[in-house]
Amino acid sequence: MGVIATSLGSDSRSQELAAEAMRRLKVRGVSATLIDLRHHPLPLAGSDESWGNPSVAKVRELVGETTHLIFAVPIYNFDVNSAAKTFIELMGEDLLGGKTVAFLCAAGGQGSYMSILSFANSLMLDFRCWIVPRFVYVTTDFVDEKGIVTPEIDRRLDGLISDLVNGPAHR
């Protein structure tokens, strides 16, 4: 299992979601690797340095060891951030094809709720990934003084992790 934390910001709700997913996977005894793109800076896909870059090689190695991925993404302008798009371009169908994928999204408001669908469609149609038909979408409305995991988000995270690990028939 791999958790891809795509936000490059130091104070990021999607990074918090990635950390919470890792914690929950560990509690369930699921072996998982956090792939934090802040620690693996990726060049723009298609640039001369894209394919020989050491960060690309390391991330490709980590992704190659997974069968399931959770993308923790910030939503900007009704889409995932550019780091997430760069990631899928640099990994390609040879590494992403056939993997089961789930999404954790952090956004400023409810207006972008369905924006993850274009990213999911690309992974499903271009890369032949299996998409978990549930995702977690967090706005500032769901953040309390103790952090990001309010009772509602707690329920949603548990459902997503359960569906990802066991499939929806096991809930």
Side-chain angles (χ1 to χ4, degrees), residues 70 102-104 134-136 156-164:
I70 299 174
F103 305 102
L104 304 172
R134 170 195 303 269
F135 60 93
V136 175
R156 292 181 193 176
L157 279 166
D158 277 345
L160 180 115
I161 298 292
S162 178
D163 283 358
L164 183 65

Side-chain angles (χ1 to χ4, degrees), residues 101-148:
V101 178
F103 305 102
L104 304 172
C105 308
Q110 286 295 330
S112 299
Y113 180 74
M114 301 302 282
S115 60
I116 193 65
L117 292 180
S118 64
F119 190 66
N121 281 339
S122 178
L123 286 166
M124 182 176 62
L125 299 173
D126 295 337
F127 297 94
R128 305 293 185 241
C129 294
W130 296 94
I131 305 299
V132 174
R134 170 195 303 269
F135 60 93
V136 175
Y137 185 90
V138 175
T139 66
T140 52
D141 297 339
F142 292 102
V143 178
D144 65 14
E145 65 281 351
K146 295 178 188 172
I148 201 161

